[in-house]
């Protein structure tokens, strides 16, 4: 509840009602005049990524020493969190970049995991930051949401649909709702394990993300990688 309150205090206008009015263009309304919740979820995905809120950032925009743009930066190594900001932001690791212009190694890219202390203010990152913050935003406007971890290096969110009585895949990086096969079929991923983290438990949800007819191959991969 603390995280949801933090979002509401920072963005008091971003509630379900305002999102419905501003973001949903094509959604139909129910007999009672309310917009279907699944349509709100779809609109939320469209709103979340972009200049209006959260920005994709693969590496720092510029060198902190000389100001050279990101094209001059190359990954030099990975460290643990060192500054108080990195620790408070629950940075799992910090990528250190070397500048090819000035040879400085001072440009750091902390991979924050705390949506309250850092992500709501920085509003940038890769899929990990996206999923962390998007899950928070979903919960803040009343959705039940959980964090999804794919061990082949991707993360996203699932939102509970009260209308369909099931969990819906929601990828804020790709702005896709209910497209669980996009990784196995579209990206060609060889999935090993996909876990869902909700408020109370962790669940293995791998099978819903497997392409039809791929269960046997998946089982073999899982034995090899996980034993």
């Amino acid at each position: 509840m603390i995280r949801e309150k933090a979002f509401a205090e920072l963005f008091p206008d971003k509630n379900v009602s305002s999102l419905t009015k501003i973001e949903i263009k094509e959604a139909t309304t129910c007999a009672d005049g309310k917009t279907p919740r699944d349509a709100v979820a779809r609109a939320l995905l469209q709103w979340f990524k972009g200049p209006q809120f959260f920005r994709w950032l693969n590496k720092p925009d510029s060198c902190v020493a000389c100001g050279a743009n990101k094209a001059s930066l190359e990954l030099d190594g990975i460290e643990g969190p060192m500054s108080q900001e990195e620790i408070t932001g629950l940075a799992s690791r910090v990528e250190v970049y070397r500048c090819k212009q000035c040879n400085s190694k001072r440009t750091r890219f902390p991979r924050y995991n705390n949506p309250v202390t850092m992500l709501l203010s920085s509003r940038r990152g890769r899929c990990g930051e996206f999923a962390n913050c998007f899950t928070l935003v979903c919960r803040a406007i009343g959705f039940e949401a959980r964090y999804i971890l794919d061990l082949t290096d991707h993360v996203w969110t699932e939102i509970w649909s009260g209308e369909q009585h099931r969990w819906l895949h929601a990828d804020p990086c790709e702005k896709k709702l209910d497209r669980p096969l996009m990784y196995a079929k579209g990206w060609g991923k060889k999935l090993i394990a996909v876990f869902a983290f909700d408020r109370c438990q962790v669940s293995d949800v791998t099978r819903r993300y497997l392409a039809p007819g791929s269960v046997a191959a998946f089982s073999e991969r899982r034995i090899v990688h996980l034993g």
Side-chain angles (χ1 to χ4, degrees):
M1 292 301 296
I2 294 175
R3 294 182 175 186
E4 287 86 338
K5 183 178 179 181
F7 176 85
E9 290 177 348
L10 282 172
F11 307 100
D13 61 319
K14 296 305 179 188
N15 52 43
V16 174
S17 176
S18 66
L19 281 169
T20 300
K21 293 176 182 178
I22 297 170
E23 302 297 332
I24 300 177
K25 309 299 183 184
E26 71 287 346
T28 58
T29 55
C30 299
D32 59 5
K34 295 182 179 179
T35 302
R37 293 282 288 168
D38 290 359
V40 175
R42 193 177 302 278
L44 184 61
L45 275 169
Q46 298 305 309
W47 166 80
F48 185 83
K49 182 181 180 181
Q52 68 279 0
F53 193 69
F54 216 89
R55 180 168 64 95
W56 176 265
L57 186 70
N58 195 44
K59 63 180 179 180
D61 287 320
S62 60
C63 171
V64 297
C66 72
N69 64 31
K70 64 171 60 179
S72 298
L73 296 177
E74 60 182 12
L75 184 64
D76 187 71
I78 296 176
E79 301 178 350
M82 297 177 63
S83 69
Q84 187 59 48
E85 182 178 274
E86 292 169 352
I87 295 170
T88 303
L90 302 181
S92 56
R93 65 183 186 276
V94 180
E95 298 172 2
V96 180
Y97 286 82
R98 184 184 72 84
C99 177
K100 291 182 284 187
Q101 298 293 324
C102 69
N103 207 37
S104 167
K105 298 181 181 180
R106 291 171 46 202
T107 304
R108 299 170 66 82
F109 184 20
R111 303 301 307 280
Y112 291 122
N113 285 291
N114 191 328
V116 175
T117 60
M118 290 307 303
L119 295 180
L120 281 179
S121 56
S122 67
R123 300 191 222 170
R124 63 184 187 178
R126 299 194 200 122
C127 62
E129 290 86 348
F130 266 75
N132 254 316
C133 199
F134 184 70
T135 302
L136 162 66
V137 171
C138 288
R139 290 177 175 177
I141 67 170
F143 285 103
E144 186 57 45
R146 58 187 186 180
Y147 181 91
I148 308 299
L149 170 66
D150 161 25
L151 294 190
T152 60
D153 195 26
H154 192 45
V155 289
W156 58 90
T157 302
E158 285 186 347
I159 301 172
W160 177 256
S161 170
E163 294 155 13
Q164 301 185 52
H165 303 287
R166 65 183 179 91
W167 289 100
L168 301 181
H169 154 265
D171 191 324
C173 292
E174 303 297 322
K175 297 187 175 185
K176 299 296 184 182
L177 181 69
D178 203 18
R179 296 279 301 278
L181 300 184
M182 63 179 285
Y183 310 114
K185 295 183 70 175
W187 294 11
K189 267 180 168 281
K190 306 298 183 183
L191 297 172
I192 298 169
V194 180
F195 296 107
F197 297 79
D198 61 25
R199 297 176 188 268
C200 302
Q201 64 183 1
V202 178
S203 307
D204 186 338
V205 297
T206 313
R207 287 181 178 268
R208 79 177 53 171
Y209 292 95
L210 296 177
S214 66
V215 174
F218 153 72
S219 298
E220 292 179 4
R221 286 197 306 274
R222 187 148 176 162
I223 290 173
V224 171
H225 287 87
L226 301 181

